[in-house]
Amino acid sequence: MDDLPDGLVITDRDGHVLTVNRAAARLTGVTREQAAGRHVRDVFSLRDQDGRDWWKWLDPYGGLSTRTRQPELPLRTPAGHELLVTARLVRRPERGGEVVRVVIGMRDAGARARLERSRADLVSTVAHELRSPLTSVKGFTATLLAKWTRFTDDQKLVMLETVNADADRVTRLITELLDVSRIESGRLEIHRQVVDLPARARKIIAGRVAAGEPEERFRLEVRGELPETWLDQDKIDQVLSNLLENAVRHGRGTVTIAMEPSEWGVTVSVRDQGEGIPPELATRVFRQFWRGNARRRGGTGLGLFIVKGLVEAHGGTISVQRGPEGGAEFRFTVPTGTPDFA
């Protein structure tokens, strides 16, 4: 019970508290020792928005004998802290029997409010990021359809290239949103195979150079013999690409990818020579929509959140710190060893 993220309080058939888990004690300020054996309404004074005593209002031992649950409701503690509370009525026999236990679940309403704000931010970001490319696509296609013969081939080419680039931008945004959804819901699937990390890094660097970046902007360092890693190649490519894109967009100077064996895996760091990230902001960079002071440079603020989710889905860890040359250094470690296919 103490490992559960939500608060849990269990009472017997008379409403006396049997146990309180750690999360419930944190949310209410009432410990297991303080509550055990006492009636729930005497130690957990929860009231609804109208000030009514929730336990009396719930009346778990009255009402219909088919009632087994109470949907989630916002309640307040005497200190004014808002909780989201549910109740499960355990009956014996299961259908129509007497209530033998009441299982009360609690969640911090503040966490729900933050989630709702995050969703609102997501909708706002999507609307903002989609408006510009879709307006461009619509405008250029409508213009070409209406006045095709008035433009030269060079003018048409410029318009179509712009439409193509904006369509790619929309596709990238949709891909990012799908990744965020899978990460948040725990539905991210990892298809492991042996991955040559230095080879993947070289390929991504070559792609940046082919797109017009100067080759001397990038440096790859491999220190020692790397152990065999079983990873999802596409997702590791995405991690490296996002970190490289972040270093190029927000950093300066040479971007270095360094790889070395660690105690239980392979550690990869991506660092630049820019201004770096202040230590007090280091815990925020992996949040959704975080763009620091670089909002003017574009991006949705989802890239580093996705990177963290992909690394952790492999059983790895990631952090950010100041690099040896002053810029930001993102360091992640992925485990080695053959996966268990059983």
Side-chain angles (χ1 to χ4, degrees):
M1 287 177 52
D2 282 339
D3 292 332
L4 294 173
D6 295 336
L8 199 66
V9 176
I10 301 178
T11 74
D12 63 13
R13 64 176 65 244
D14 299 315
H16 296 105
V17 177
L18 295 174
T19 189
V20 178
N21 76 343
R22 186 181 294 119
R26 174 178 52 80
L27 291 170
T28 63
V30 179
T31 66
R32 182 184 293 116
E33 292 74 22
Q34 292 171 328
R38 300 176 62 188
H39 199 280
V40 65
R41 67 169 171 259
D42 294 331
V43 288
F44 295 104
S45 180
L46 299 174
R47 296 188 176 275
D48 66 14
Q49 304 296 331
D50 297 322
R52 296 178 297 174
D53 184 309
W54 177 70
W55 184 261
K56 289 183 179 179
W57 177 81
L58 175 66
D59 188 18
Y61 310 107
L64 296 174
S65 60
T66 55
R67 190 165 58 116
T68 59
R69 60 184 295 273
Q70 170 61 50
E72 188 174 78
L73 287 174
L75 302 176
R76 291 189 178 276
T77 65
H81 187 57
E82 188 171 358
L83 302 176
L84 299 172
V85 181
T86 61
R88 173 75 177 177
L89 310 182
V90 181
R91 298 181 179 273
R92 293 290 183 271
E94 188 174 341
R95 297 191 176 210
E98 294 183 356
V99 174
V100 297
R101 279 195 316 280
V102 180
V103 181
I104 303 168
M106 302 176 179
R107 293 183 179 181
D108 184 359
R112 177 68 61 84
R114 288 191 294 272
L115 177 60
E116 290 176 352
R117 286 196 300 271
S118 175
R119 289 174 176 170
D121 288 342
L122 180 62
V123 172
S124 175
T125 298
V126 171
H128 175 76
E129 294 295 331
L130 286 177
R131 183 184 296 117
S132 177
L134 289 179
T135 299
S136 171
V137 169
K138 175 63 178 176
F140 278 124
T141 53
T143 301
L144 286 170
L145 288 171
K147 303 176 181 180
W148 179 266
T149 57
R150 299 186 185 182
F151 296 109
T152 66
D153 288 345
D154 289 341
Q155 290 173 323
K156 294 174 184 176
L157 180 61
V158 170
M159 291 184 184
L160 290 174
E161 286 176 341
T162 303
V163 168
N164 184 61
D166 284 333
D168 287 342
R169 180 177 166 188
V170 172
T171 300
R172 285 194 301 272
L173 176 60
I174 292 173
T175 300
E176 287 184 343
L177 294 174
L178 289 173
D179 287 336
V180 169
S181 174
R182 294 187 184 105
I183 289 169
E184 289 187 327
S185 64
R187 293 185 290 106
L188 194 66
E189 295 183 357
I190 301 296
H191 303 285
R192 295 182 185 269
Q193 64 186 78
V194 176
V195 172
D196 184 338
L197 284 171
R200 305 316 302 169
R202 292 188 190 98
K203 181 177 180 181
I204 292 166
I205 291 173
R208 301 284 314 190
V209 172
E213 295 282 352
E215 187 173 357
E216 60 272 14
R217 179 85 192 270
F218 306 100
R219 182 171 62 220
L220 175 62
E221 299 177 355
V222 181
R223 303 164 185 167
E225 184 177 351
L226 301 182
E228 182 179 90
T229 53
W230 286 73
L231 308 168
D232 188 311
Q233 181 170 288
D234 291 339
K235 291 179 174 57
I236 288 299
D237 282 356
Q238 190 174 355
V239 169
L240 292 171
S241 294
N242 280 9
L243 291 178
L244 211 64
E245 171 71 20
N246 183 76
V248 169
R249 176 177 292 174
H250 304 301
R252 292 197 304 268
T254 302
V255 176
T256 302
I257 302 178
M259 301 181 179
E260 59 186 344
S262 63
E263 182 178 355
W264 58 277
V266 174
T267 297
V268 180
S269 63
V270 179
R271 59 179 182 266
D272 60 69
Q273 298 171 330
E275 299 175 357
I277 297 173
E280 63 272 16
L281 299 180
T283 59
R284 304 181 189 178
V285 299
F286 297 108
R287 295 179 184 175
Q288 292 184 35
F289 312 116
W290 189 89
R291 284 179 279 189
N293 295 323
R295 185 177 296 271
R296 66 187 183 278
R297 303 185 192 179
T300 61
L302 296 174
L304 293 177
F305 174 82
I306 292 171
V307 164
K308 184 174 185 290
L310 295 178
V311 169
E312 291 180 346
H314 283 85
T317 58
I318 186 169
S319 62
V320 62
Q321 59 193 28
R322 182 173 292 276
E325 297 175 306
E329 178 178 4
F330 288 86
R331 177 184 291 263
F332 70 90
T333 302
V334 287
T336 58
T338 303
D340 184 4
F341 291 103

